[in-house]
Amino acid sequence: QVQLVESGGGLVQAGGSLRLSCAASGRAFSVLTMCWFRQAPGQEREFVEGVSASGDSTYYADSVKGRFTISRDNAKNTVFLQMISLKPDDTAVYYCAARFSTTWPPVGRYAYWGQGTQVTVSS
């Protein structure tokens, strides 16, 4: 029902910036809670940041506070993750995820996932 495709990952030096994009299919995007997860090698998948369906509310993990910003453009069915001041510890596969639940904060189970995009931050 919901297809998600991430893009924008790559290799960046510490202190640099990247902007990830997640394009969603269908007409349901405007009612979906969207978020980004990440998984580093040997680590558990962790929640990064989420945004409400309207874009009015965001919620983020302490590890990215002040550095990452999630946003969405419902007219384009796209959610973004703007990452600045990147650190080597940010290196991970980043996944876009979606759910219809409006429960806040937007942590927990997500029904729809993208394929992931690799972010590598060199020291």
Side-chain angles (χ1 to χ4, degrees):
Q1 182 179 0
V2 178
Q3 311 296 322
L4 306 173
V5 180
E6 301 99 330
S7 62
L11 176 64
V12 65
Q13 294 182 8
S17 302
L18 281 175
R19 189 194 196 202
L20 307 183
S21 298
C22 174
S25 67
R27 296 180 290 179
F29 184 76
S30 63
V31 299
L32 290 169
T33 297
M34 303 294 299
C35 76
W36 292 91
F37 283 78
R38 67 185 182 185
Q39 187 167 22
Q43 302 288 94
E44 300 292 329
R45 186 171 297 184
E46 67 172 340
F47 176 86
V48 176
E49 193 162 3
V51 61
S52 63
S54 68
D56 289 343
S57 300
T58 60
Y59 185 82
Y60 47 81
D62 287 342
S63 60
V64 304
K65 182 180 180 180
R67 300 189 300 118
F68 291 9
T69 302
I70 192 170
S71 62
R72 66 194 296 160
D73 185 342
N74 284 353
K76 298 184 181 296
N77 278 27
T78 304
V79 64
F80 306 96
L81 185 67
Q82 180 67 55
M83 306 183 293
I84 65 171
S85 301
L86 283 161
K87 307 173 181 179
D89 285 349
D90 295 319
T91 295
V93 177
Y94 283 71
Y95 297 92
C96 179
R99 68 184 186 185
F100 287 100
S101 173
T102 59
T103 299
W104 207 258
V107 296
R109 181 173 176 82
Y110 280 76
Y112 306 103
W113 294 84
Q115 82 289 349
T117 186
Q118 176 71 47
V119 172
T120 302
V121 184
S122 62
S123 60

